[in-house]
Amino acid sequence: MERFLCVHGHFYQPPRENPWLEAVEIQGSAAPYHDWNDRITEECYIPNTMARILDDEERLVTIVNNYSRISFNFGPTLLSWMERRRPELAPRLREADDVSRRVYSGHGNAIAQAYNHIILPLANTRDKRTQVIWGRRDFESRFGREPEGMWLPETAVDLESLDIMAEFGMRFAILAPHQARRVRPLDSDAWTEVNGQKIDPTRAYLVKLPSGRTMSLFFYDGPIAKAIAFEGLLSSGENFARRLQDGFSDQRRHAQLVHIATDGESYGHHHRFGEMALAYALQKITSRGQIRLTNYGEYLEKFPPEYEVEIQEDTSWSCSHGIERWRSNCGCEVGSRAGWNQAWRTPLRESLDWLRDTVAPAFEDKGREIFKDPWAARDSYIEVLLKQQRVKPEAFIAEQAARPLQQSEIVKALRMMELQRHAMLMYTSCGWFFADPSGIETIQIIQYAGRVIQLAREALGLDLEEEFLKRFSSVSSNDPLEGNGRALYMKHVVPAVVDLEQVGAHAAIAHLFGEDDEENRIYCYTTARKSLKSTEAGRARLDLGAMEVTSNVTLESAGLNFAVFHLGDQNLNAGVRRFDDEEKWSTASGELSSAFSSADYPQVMRLVDRYFESRTYSIKSLFLEEQRRILDKILQASLLEADASYRQIYERNAPLMRMLANLGLPGPRRLQAAAGIALDQLVHETLASDEPDADRFQSLWDEAGAAGVELDKDEMALTLRDSLKRLAHELRSKPLDTRQLARLEAGTRLLDKLPVHVDTVYPQIVCYEIFGSHYTQIAETAESGNAWARQWTETFRLLAQRLKVRID
């Protein structure tokens, strides 16, 4: 009988954007990367577009785009982040889907996902519909076709969710084997109980839905999926291939589909080099010609369901208690400690339900004053969120409005739409998944709730914060330092709230440190400077001016006046507020200028406090990214001075330290510290150079050893990795440039010198690509006696040898 194989990857990260900035801020726990999305992209999402297959000598022989060979879904909110921060990924995903459509009878590998990963059985009907509508529309915009299937977040399922998916054209979904209750042949009335993962996972099943619609369901192979996620199966491509093949049985007489579904992050993030194990296993299996790769859409067309299934409603793939992980203290968690519990989950959900259900009637009432149909407008709001569609917010509101609107009404309408968007974002499943409400995932959804509360006040005239906090106080962290829900909210939400004045303060302060454009984009805001008067006296400076600050999301705008008083380094005081009275601002700016000219700096400080009342700011008020940039700039001069001093101390005392080391005597700690800093800096400069010098590095390494100094090996590995990536990127753009080729080849000579492993994946891939596109032709030219071609070929062979790229 025919045998088919399908591997599905659920690629998803929770939305991590600051709800007020619409951007992911730096996350220290993801270091050395900017944030967790960035880190996982480098470890998983990009490597799967260029998965390497090695030979027995660990030489690179080919590269494949895994997405063209597996079924996959990406969370829409993750794709939205990629669109802004890693735009090179979207074309590779689209290309992989296009390739799969050509290979698999017109059926693409990509499937959709309910929009922001809420647990659908716990959502109300209205939210389920919007999640499906948004997920479908997002997919269409990115892949240029209608989706055939949709991923259920956490595979959490109920019949209503499936029915809504079917209503919007979904033909299939994927579930875990324990989510099936009983099955029967379509031509029989006899049911067979399949509780406890007893269902045959190698065929498709038909489920009948309450509306009379139907949908096909696939139940993945549970044991293999578990082995991938928890048993280290991806540590060996050979073992992975063998385990997949073992999923078939000679006892089955139908066309078998062995298929698995796991988090896509298994392939490279959770399990290093998992993308290579996947690529190798698929190649190994298909090379024998007995098993064919497919995807769910193609298999369904060729082999429609012959069995009906009834599901276990309110179940999921990651909670053995159904869907209790997202509403009760069921015991399923990650990261718990002795004595901890998850009793906080119930009051968290109840508080959010209260907030959602309280704003809904007011949204309807106020919405009817503006929209033809408020809820239909919400369903269509996805068109604004799809930035590549370039549907401007004001155009969307004009289309949805029941009548022509004034600017203030347009702002109000957009605030209503944003309120509803955040009212769904606050149900993102990850907020309940882990062990404590103080974790970043739960704090994220609490911040979304805080944004809902703010927008309800601004758009609907509802002040819900205190009543919400009364209910939310029932949430208790397991960490006594974090306290209850009210404490969590005051600590993590209130300081994160942003308004137009704070954005204006950020722009005014940033101008002092190099942001000199009259118009600046600050996250999801635009600032336009209207006037500026700068006065300097030594290191002191006073900026006075006016600006317009506009939200690009809600289009709300404000004219602001500002004063920034800077005494050098981090010492500054800024004031920003709306001066509706032009005469008052004239008086304030005049008094500030006079006090500054008189060098009465305490008076300047007092005037800023008086005229700007409570709206005063310092460097601590800046958004985190800019705060770090400015502090780095302030520190730079001091660091350069310190580096020069340490280097001078080292050079003056190096002979003495070598002598002490030769005599087996310890050097003075202060001199060793200075030598360590100086040598680390010299090594860094050598490894980061555009002209790599292995001899120079060896000399410095020997010098450190002679002086008894321990260098930072991890930092060396990162520096050389980044240097080789940069040189490889430059060679990729100029592959025929012999000087650039020689630079990269020289850089690879350092690999044998460093006493630590260096990541060379990117240079290896670039070398492989150039081999495929240029090597053969240039080598043939070299054989005819061309000197340039001979030099290029010889250098390239050395490069390929060092990077382990097979070119024979």
Side-chain angles (χ1 to χ4, degrees):
M1 302 299 292
E2 293 183 89
R3 296 185 171 191
F4 297 88
L5 174 65
C6 178
V7 173
H8 181 82
H10 164 53
F11 295 90
Y12 166 76
Q13 289 299 301
R16 294 188 168 97
E17 285 77 3
N18 178 308
W20 289 271
L21 302 179
E22 297 294 336
V24 181
E25 296 182 282
I26 193 167
Q27 295 175 314
S29 60
Y33 299 94
H34 178 274
D35 56 71
W36 280 102
N37 283 358
D38 192 40
R39 177 171 183 163
I40 296 168
T41 297
E42 288 293 330
E43 293 176 348
C44 175
Y45 306 143
I46 287 178
N48 275 288
T49 67
M50 49 182 76
R52 299 169 297 145
I53 297 179
L54 310 181
D55 63 13
D56 293 339
E57 298 177 21
E58 295 189 348
R59 295 179 301 173
L60 176 60
V61 294
T62 191
I63 293 173
V64 298
N65 185 338
N66 277 342
Y67 300 110
S68 69
R69 312 196 82 196
I70 67 171
S71 171
F72 66 90
N73 74 279
F74 268 82
T77 54
L78 175 59
L79 289 173
S80 178
W81 173 86
M82 286 181 179
E83 182 179 61
R84 297 188 302 272
R85 296 299 301 263
R86 306 305 294 265
E88 72 275 16
L89 259 172
R92 298 179 189 178
L93 298 178
R94 176 77 175 261
E95 178 186 7
D97 187 64
D98 290 342
V99 168
S100 65
R101 291 173 68 187
R102 293 194 294 270
V103 174
Y104 301 134
S105 312
H107 300 276
N109 281 345
I111 69 171
Q113 180 198 291
Y115 188 75
N116 68 270
H117 215 266
I118 71 175
I119 301 302
L120 291 179
L122 292 174
N124 62 30
T125 301
R126 188 183 289 127
D127 284 358
K128 288 176 181 177
R129 291 181 64 84
T130 303
Q131 287 287 307
V132 172
I133 290 169
W134 284 19
R136 175 193 168 95
R137 183 68 189 98
D138 186 273
F139 181 94
E140 291 173 341
S141 74
R142 298 183 191 281
F143 293 97
R145 64 177 178 86
E146 295 181 354
E148 293 186 78
M150 177 171 278
W151 180 264
L152 288 156
E154 300 290 339
T155 74
V157 68
D158 65 341
L159 288 174
E160 183 183 48
S161 297
L162 294 177
D163 212 344
I164 292 171
M165 288 164 55
E167 178 186 352
F168 289 98
M170 301 305 123
R171 296 178 57 223
F172 67 84
I174 307 162
L175 297 178
H178 66 263
Q179 294 179 271
R181 187 166 75 88
R182 60 180 187 169
V183 300
R184 67 178 178 184
L186 291 178
D187 58 1
S188 172
D189 293 330
W191 289 95
T192 300
E193 298 291 329
V194 291
N195 289 320
Q197 303 193 43
K198 296 176 183 176
I199 193 169
D200 177 359
T202 65
R203 61 166 79 242
Y205 295 86
L206 190 75
V207 60
K208 295 181 179 178
L209 303 168
S211 66
R213 302 183 187 95
T214 61
M215 177 181 281
S216 295
L217 296 178
F218 293 91
F219 297 86
Y220 64 80
D221 189 305
I224 301 179
K226 181 181 178 184
I228 291 172
F230 304 112
E231 298 171 7
L233 184 57
L234 295 180
S235 62
S236 165
E238 284 282 354
N239 292 342
F240 186 25
R242 189 178 305 111
R243 187 66 184 273
L244 289 171
Q245 290 171 299
D246 288 345
F248 295 97
S249 171
D250 293 336
Q251 305 304 312
R252 300 187 183 110
R253 310 312 303 162
H254 60 272
Q256 297 177 62
L257 174 67
V258 167
H259 65 107
I260 55 173
T262 64
D263 286 334
E265 289 76 18
S266 297
Y267 305 108
H269 171 58
H270 297 317
H271 305 285
R272 194 179 183 201
F273 303 129
E275 82 285 356
M276 296 176 65
L278 173 62
Y280 178 87
L282 296 182
Q283 183 189 62
K284 179 89 172 179
I285 291 170
T286 57
S287 64
R288 298 170 182 171
Q290 298 173 336
I291 299 171
R292 181 175 179 270
L293 295 182
T294 188
N295 58 36
Y296 294 108
E298 183 189 48
Y299 182 86
L300 200 57
E301 178 187 327
K302 294 179 179 294
F303 308 102
E306 297 177 348
Y307 281 74
E308 181 183 350
V309 65
E310 286 186 354
I311 64 167
Q312 302 270 18
E313 288 200 86
D314 294 343
T315 57
S316 66
W317 74 346
S318 56
C319 178
S320 58
H321 312 93
I323 53 174
E324 296 307 306
R325 185 171 198 154
W326 297 277
R327 64 180 174 187
S328 72
N329 183 22
C330 70
C332 294
E333 47 71 32
V334 172
S336 187
R337 302 176 191 172
W340 281 23
N341 66 70
Q342 285 71 55
W344 53 270
R345 287 174 174 162
T346 299
L348 171 59
R349 181 163 291 277
E350 289 175 347
S351 298
L352 298 183
D353 285 348
W354 174 85
L355 182 58
R356 176 198 63 195
D357 296 339
T358 300
V359 299
F363 169 77
E364 277 192 10
D365 291 342
K366 298 287 186 181
R368 289 195 188 98
E369 299 172 6
I370 292 178
F371 298 107
K372 289 176 282 192
D373 182 334
W375 295 111
R378 184 181 83 160
D379 287 343
S380 300
Y381 189 58
I382 183 65
E383 300 300 332
V384 176
L385 305 180
L386 296 171
K387 301 297 185 184
Q388 74 272 29
Q389 298 299 308
R390 303 190 185 281
V391 176
K392 296 185 180 298
E394 53 266 47
F396 166 79
I397 295 299
E399 181 181 339
Q400 297 294 327
R403 55 180 173 78
L405 302 177
Q406 298 179 357
Q407 181 61 30
S408 61
E409 293 177 306
I410 293 174
V411 170
K412 182 177 181 180
L414 287 169
R415 283 172 169 166
M416 289 185 191
M417 291 294 101
E418 283 296 299
L419 181 153
Q420 285 298 323
R421 178 168 75 95
H422 285 86
M424 288 189 291
L425 287 171
M426 70 185 185
Y427 284 106
T428 301
S429 68
C430 307
W432 287 266
F433 195 83
F434 296 93
D436 194 76
S438 63
I440 59 174
E441 296 82 6
T442 310
I443 295 302
Q444 183 75 30
I445 68 168
I446 299 170
Q447 288 187 341
Y448 288 134
R451 181 65 170 147
V452 171
I453 289 169
Q454 181 190 40
L455 290 165
R457 184 186 304 116
E458 295 172 347
L460 306 177
L462 296 177
D463 194 348
L464 305 174
E465 188 169 58
E466 190 54 40
E467 182 60 31
F468 174 80
L469 288 176
K470 285 180 184 177
R471 297 167 182 272
F472 194 54
S473 294
S474 298
V475 169
S476 293
S477 170
N478 292 287
D479 183 348
L481 296 178
E482 293 289 348
N484 66 5
R486 178 183 286 271
L488 289 169
Y489 187 92
M490 301 306 292
K491 179 179 179 180
H492 298 287
V493 177
V494 172
V497 174
V498 172
D499 58 19
L500 297 181
E501 283 81 1
Q502 187 172 348
V503 176
H506 178 98
I509 295 172
H511 172 69
L512 285 172
F513 298 93
E515 295 290 343
D516 201 33
D517 294 337
E518 290 187 0
E519 183 169 302
N520 282 313
R521 177 73 181 261
I522 301 174
Y523 296 110
C524 60
Y525 299 89
T526 299
T527 63
R529 198 166 63 237
K530 301 301 183 184
S531 65
L532 174 66
K533 177 186 176 183
S534 292
T535 310
E536 296 186 36
R539 297 187 71 193
R541 172 172 165 174
L542 177 66
D543 280 1
L544 300 170
M547 70 174 75
E548 187 85 12
V549 180
T550 303
S551 165
N552 301 318
V553 176
T554 63
L555 303 185
E556 59 184 308
S557 184
L560 303 172
N561 292 102
F562 62 88
V564 184
F565 176 49
H566 186 212
L567 281 169
D569 294 335
Q570 78 279 12
N571 303 302
L572 66 83
N573 189 30
V576 176
R577 60 168 288 193
R578 309 181 196 209
F579 274 90
D580 297 326
D581 187 337
E582 193 65 34
E583 185 176 341
K584 187 173 182 180
W585 168 242
S586 179
T587 301
S589 57
E591 291 186 24
L592 283 162
S593 295
S594 177
F596 184 82
S597 298
S598 303
D600 189 352
Y601 297 153
Q603 178 65 1
V604 175
M605 299 282 282
R606 286 191 292 270
L607 288 170
V608 170
D609 289 338
R610 183 206 307 169
Y611 280 111
F612 291 91
E613 299 167 351
S614 62
R615 305 313 305 246
T616 57
Y617 304 87
S618 67
I619 283 183
K620 292 181 180 179
S621 310
L622 289 169
F623 304 133
L624 189 58
E625 305 279 345
E626 189 69 9
Q627 190 181 93
R628 291 198 174 194
R629 183 187 74 83
I630 288 175
L631 290 174
D632 284 346
K633 189 169 186 177
I634 291 171
L635 286 169
Q636 192 60 36
S638 297
L639 291 174
L640 289 173
E641 183 180 347
D643 286 343
S645 298
Y646 284 125
R647 189 170 299 187
Q648 186 178 37
I649 293 170
Y650 159 68
E651 290 172 351
R652 185 185 305 138
N653 294 280
L656 174 60
M657 294 183 67
R658 283 196 292 271
M659 185 183 76
L660 290 171
N662 288 334
L663 294 173
L665 299 174
R669 279 197 311 166
R670 281 170 288 183
L671 291 183
Q672 281 204 316
I677 293 171
L679 286 168
D680 269 330
Q681 183 63 27
L682 289 168
V683 166
H684 174 81
E685 291 172 2
T686 301
L687 296 178
S689 172
D690 287 336
E691 301 289 345
D693 188 338
D695 293 335
R696 168 66 172 160
F697 171 80
Q698 187 64 55
S699 173
L700 291 169
W701 180 260
D702 293 343
E703 181 73 13
V709 172
E710 185 74 22
L711 297 178
D712 189 335
K713 297 184 182 64
D714 292 337
E715 185 64 28
M716 287 192 296
L718 290 174
T719 301
L720 183 56
R721 179 202 67 182
D722 293 343
S723 181
L724 294 178
K725 284 181 71 173
R726 185 184 69 256
L727 293 170
H729 182 72
E730 292 169 359
L731 178 62
R732 192 179 205 175
S733 63
K734 298 178 180 179
L736 303 183
D737 187 331
T738 52
R739 184 180 179 189
Q740 196 58 51
L741 179 63
R743 283 174 173 169
L744 180 57
E745 188 273 327
T748 60
R749 295 179 206 170
L750 286 158
L751 294 171
D752 294 333
K753 303 288 186 181
L754 263 66
V756 64
H757 172 76
V758 177
D759 179 355
T760 59
V761 172
Y762 182 76
Q764 187 184 48
I765 288 172
V766 170
C767 183
Y768 172 83
E769 290 176 344
I770 295 174
F771 168 67
S773 59
H774 292 83
Y775 177 80
T776 301
Q777 183 178 355
I778 296 175
E780 290 174 354
T781 304
E783 290 177 0
S784 66
N786 183 288
W788 168 84
R790 188 183 308 114
Q791 179 186 358
W792 188 97
T793 304
E794 290 173 356
T795 306
F796 185 83
R797 284 173 177 162
L798 288 173
L799 178 67
Q801 181 181 1
R802 290 202 178 92
L803 291 175
K804 294 187 175 182
V805 176
R806 193 172 77 185
I807 62 174
D808 50 23

